[in-house]
Amino acid sequence: GDWQPVEAAYSVMEMGIEAYKKVLGGADPFKFACPLPGLGALAMFNETTTQPAFCCKAYDKLGWPYQFPDCAHITACETCFRTSGPVSLVAHPVAPLAGVAWASSLAVYSKAKPKSGALLSALSSSVSGFFGHTGDSAIKGHRLEADIGTGLQDHTANLCPNIGDWDETMLNDDSDNLHARVLKSESNKVAVVVFRGTQMTSMKNWLVDADLTRTKLKLGGGFPDTMVHEGFLKSLRRVLPRVKKWVTGSLLLFMAGLPADWKLVFTGHSLGGALATLAATLAELEGWSRTPDAVITFGAPRIADSTLGAWWKAKGLCGKLIRVDTYNDVIHYMPLKTAFKWWEVATDFMQCAADLKACMKTGPASLLSGGTGLAGSGLTFSDRWAHVCGHDSEVLIASSTKGLNANLTDFNAIGGAMAHFIDNCLYGYSYGVLRSDIAANDAYCGISGDICGVGPGGR
């Protein structure tokens, strides 16, 4: 019979980090130690030393992708810290909204608790046949809080310390495990429609990502049809009517329409960023009475061919769009030419225990190319896809980790996943955002390195 997706009970990246812990004798791989701990490290290098330069190179030879502050000048991973020039962001008209977009894109991963009473909850359920899964949720103290990691340790942080009157509405579709929320602050006259990104343990999400079929989207106005990612578009159409009803003020008793003098942001990380960009596109095509003032994404994959980007430019929409990327994030180079088979990657990681050194240096074979190595056919970048508005819309931030980029420089498979994550202070998008001009130009939340306890500009 047909194979049915199930929720995977593991995270491949977590499995990779556990493999490093095993080599390091159970030590935290994010805490620099010199000499390196563990019998595996001793066996690999056949000596011990307390010289930091040697230890930094030893971690590098081990294949550990994270760049310790002690080692950045020694291992010299330029791609780990590659950034755009400050002018590219400062000059962007929606740069002041990028901080609130980051905070929302991280907070949407946290669990929401319904705040409605029994009567309103029952009413919400009764209209779900018309509007899908819609409801309000409680935000603790009206603050935008979420768990954020520092290496292997987590803490709860207020991601938007300057705003204390957030209200939240959930707009979900359970069939593809898609989750969207609307956040609004009356005092700051700002509303955010945020789409949650791919959950690492959600096979439903990964099947949406891996659907590489393209479908036509009519742009009208003399433009040729654009070919878009069918999986993203089909999933978005399930939740978009609820977004439209909220934005335009037709969602019955749940929300009024958005006032004209408010700023409206569409945002998301990973899959969420792809959905945010497509949602903004459809809002324009369908002639919504209110369209977003800003579309800000983090690590979003490509969603269509170059025709869509040309349409955005012709419509004067590119000034609304900021795509925040880390250079070594594997996801923002996707889709590849062939489907990304997550379950095969997981199987390969299970086999890593047989040869930890080889696995950690190269990563699982299926990620590279169907088990035949990098020269095979799996990791092949596709020219059928293009980012909306091209390089003009992109802002690069540091990731502090090796990974996967178009030139395969500083390649590390596990690092390619780490560079994509948004929920850790030591690597990926939170590392980069809080040390970038995004924080410096934030006009709403007051984000800074203090959220991670490192202070402004600290590494």
Side-chain angles (χ1 to χ4, degrees):
D2 293 338
W3 177 74
Q4 297 295 323
V6 295
E7 300 305 300
Y10 46 75
S11 162
V12 169
M13 194 189 76
E14 290 175 356
M15 294 165 62
I17 292 175
E18 284 299 317
Y20 279 102
K21 284 179 64 178
K22 182 176 180 179
V23 168
L24 296 173
D28 185 341
F30 292 98
K31 293 182 178 179
F32 183 72
C34 193
L36 275 67
L39 295 176
L42 293 177
M44 187 172 294
F45 303 111
N46 297 316
E47 60 179 304
T48 62
T49 180
T50 58
Q51 296 178 4
F54 175 86
C55 292
C56 291
K57 292 176 181 177
Y59 275 108
D60 196 48
K61 290 179 180 178
L62 186 64
W64 179 231
Y66 170 63
Q67 302 298 293
F68 295 101
D70 315 63
C71 300
H73 65 291
I74 296 171
T75 53
C77 176
E78 184 273 334
T79 63
C80 300
F81 301 101
R82 185 174 296 185
T83 62
S84 301
V87 175
S88 66
L89 184 66
V90 173
H92 204 290
V94 300
L97 291 160
V100 73
W102 165 80
S104 303
S105 294
L106 175 52
V108 75
Y109 284 98
S110 62
K111 292 183 179 180
K113 296 180 180 180
K115 68 180 180 183
S116 306
L119 179 60
L120 190 57
S121 295
L123 180 58
S124 173
S125 297
S126 69
V127 300
S128 63
F130 297 99
F131 299 121
H133 183 184
T134 304
D136 54 358
S137 63
I139 296 182
K140 183 179 180 182
H142 295 281
R143 298 186 299 270
L144 206 56
E145 293 186 343
D147 289 340
I148 189 168
T150 303
L152 299 182
Q153 307 301 315
D154 287 341
H155 68 280
T156 300
N158 184 356
L159 305 176
C160 190
N162 285 359
I163 298 180
D165 66 338
W166 288 109
D167 280 327
E168 181 178 69
T169 300
M170 297 181 294
L171 309 169
N172 300 339
D173 177 78
D174 294 332
S175 60
D176 283 334
N177 192 27
L178 295 183
H179 186 103
R181 300 184 195 181
V182 178
L183 301 161
K184 69 184 185 80
S185 165
E186 187 170 354
S187 65
N188 285 266
K189 295 185 176 180
V190 63
V192 183
V193 177
V194 55
F195 298 88
R196 187 181 66 194
T198 302
Q199 287 188 301
M200 295 298 289
T201 58
S202 173
M203 190 62 74
K204 290 180 180 179
N205 282 176
W206 281 107
L207 287 177
V208 170
D209 295 346
D211 180 359
L212 298 187
T213 305
R214 302 195 304 168
T215 188
K216 288 183 180 179
L217 179 65
K218 293 185 178 298
L219 299 176
F223 267 87
D225 297 343
T226 184
M227 302 299 294
V228 302
H229 189 293
E230 183 180 64
F232 296 159
L233 184 62
K234 286 170 60 178
S235 296
L236 176 65
R237 289 195 185 280
R238 295 192 182 102
V239 74
L240 191 64
R242 285 155 247 169
V243 175
K244 181 180 180 180
K245 292 175 191 299
W246 189 93
V247 170
T248 59
S250 55
L251 194 56
L252 292 183
L253 57 81
F254 292 107
M255 283 290 175
L258 193 66
D261 61 341
W262 283 42
K263 293 292 186 183
L264 175 62
V265 182
F266 282 11
T267 190
H269 164 252
S270 189
L271 169 63
L275 297 177
T277 308
L278 268 179
T281 301
L282 294 180
E284 295 286 344
L285 287 173
E286 295 174 5
W288 290 15
S289 59
R290 182 64 192 271
T291 56
D293 300 292
V295 182
I296 302 172
T297 68
F298 301 86
R302 300 178 291 178
I303 62 172
D305 61 18
S306 58
T307 302
L308 184 59
W311 180 84
W312 270 65
K313 289 182 180 180
K315 292 290 184 179
L317 301 176
C318 288
K320 294 183 176 185
L321 177 64
I322 294 178
R323 295 186 301 106
V324 182
D325 292 320
T326 65
Y327 188 71
N328 287 335
D329 171 11
V330 61
I331 299 298
H332 88 270
Y333 296 101
M334 290 186 173
L336 305 178
K337 281 191 174 179
T338 55
F340 183 61
K341 297 180 179 179
W342 188 250
W343 49 93
E344 290 185 1
V345 177
T347 300
D348 285 348
F349 262 119
M350 291 290 193
Q351 298 171 350
C352 276
D355 190 351
L356 284 170
K357 179 179 177 181
C359 177
M360 290 186 291
K361 287 289 288 184
T362 63
S366 59
L367 176 59
L368 297 179
S369 49
T372 61
L374 194 57
S377 60
L379 187 61
T380 308
F381 296 101
S382 173
D383 58 5
R384 299 195 308 161
W385 306 88
H387 278 297
V388 173
C389 301
H391 291 296
D392 293 341
S393 65
E394 185 178 50
V395 172
L396 282 177
I397 58 175
S399 65
S400 195
T401 179
K402 294 184 177 184
L404 193 151
N405 56 66
N407 296 317
L408 299 180
T409 308
D410 299 316
F411 174 79
N412 186 284
I414 296 173
M418 290 171 59
H420 180 65
F421 272 57
I422 197 173
D423 62 350
N424 206 286
C425 294
L426 295 188
Y427 56 84
Y429 284 89
S430 288
Y431 173 90
V433 164
L434 296 176
R435 291 160 178 79
S436 73
D437 290 305
I438 292 175
N441 288 279
D442 172 29
Y444 290 86
C445 283
I447 66 172
S448 72
D450 292 336
I451 291 173
C452 289
V454 297
R459 177 174 279 181

